[in-house]
Amino acid sequence: MAIRNIREYGDEVLNKKCKEITEMTPRIKELIEDMLETMYEANGVGLAAPQVGILKRVVVIDVTGEDPYILINPRIVESSGEQTGQEGCLSVPGKSGQVTRPNYVKAVALDVNMRPFEIEGTELLARAICHELDHLDGHLYVEKVEGELLDVVYDEEEEE
Ligand code: NI
């Protein structure tokens, strides 16, 4: 496993549409392992393949820090409600902005064995699913920010 370089806002790879994964290969398995390690190292709750420069439809999400979801070729099939809150992205470091998302989403995806499964989430998980899936179509949350993009103020005591 290895930590990969996270591409930042302005890198055109982040604005491209990703391709579906048609078969699991050792290379894609390695990509997924690396994405997990990269996400945890950056204290993120989600990471999409284009953020490490790979234009394939795979995202990893972990809003609890304990149990990652790996979503291959994910697609939102149901959504409802609305939530408005602060959002950030590992590709836009030091910034956050207010974004409105559905409060509930259901998605279908393939797991690492290329078997289909469903994932449902509310609140932060719903927000993370929407945010990460947007990356696969070349969209960043900054396009959806209501008002100003803010500088994140870190609490010094929380830094390690
Ligand atoms: Ni992001």
Side-chain angles (χ1 to χ4, degrees):
M1 298 215 294
I3 290 168
R4 300 207 186 188
N5 185 33
I6 298 178
R7 304 300 184 94
E8 295 188 358
Y9 188 57
D11 189 322
E12 63 180 27
V13 79
L14 295 172
N15 301 119
K16 297 201 163 131
K17 200 171 157 73
C18 297
K19 291 203 172 82
E20 295 224 323
I21 291 172
T22 53
E23 61 170 336
M24 186 49 58
T25 63
R27 244 180 116 106
I28 290 168
K29 276 196 178 136
E30 192 185 347
L31 167 68
I32 291 167
E33 291 299 313
D34 289 355
M35 284 172 63
L36 286 168
E37 194 176 350
T38 304
M39 173 180 74
Y40 287 126
E41 204 261 344
N43 294 313
V45 297
L47 191 71
Q51 292 182 274
V52 293
I54 306 292
L55 291 170
K56 294 209 184 292
R57 301 189 81 83
V58 56
V59 307
V60 295
I61 293 173
D62 190 349
V63 297
T64 64
E66 290 165 2
D67 193 16
Y69 291 106
I70 295 152
L71 278 63
I72 295 167
N73 303 340
R75 193 161 53 84
I76 290 173
V77 292
E78 219 180 295
S79 67
S80 65
E82 206 176 85
Q83 57 172 320
T84 299
Q86 292 297 315
E87 203 162 303
C89 178
L90 294 176
S91 293
V92 192
K95 300 283 182 188
S96 78
Q98 183 171 287
V99 181
T100 298
R101 301 278 192 186
N103 197 48
Y104 164 86
V105 301
K106 186 201 275 186
V108 292
L110 302 176
D111 66 16
V112 284
N113 300 308
M114 299 298 275
R115 291 198 195 98
F117 72 102
E118 276 186 1
I119 173 173
E120 278 184 306
T122 60
E123 297 172 25
L124 181 57
L125 181 55
R127 178 178 293 282
I129 292 169
C130 294
H131 177 115
E132 298 311 327
L133 269 59
D134 276 355
H135 274 297
L136 301 182
D137 291 316
H139 296 296
L140 297 177
Y141 84 96
V142 294
E143 301 163 26
K144 297 188 163 126
V145 165
E146 300 151 17
E148 298 284 306
L149 198 58
L150 305 171
D151 289 320
V152 175
V153 180
Y154 293 101
D155 184 339
E156 277 181 33
E157 288 181 9
E158 285 179 16
E159 285 184 15
E160 284 168 18

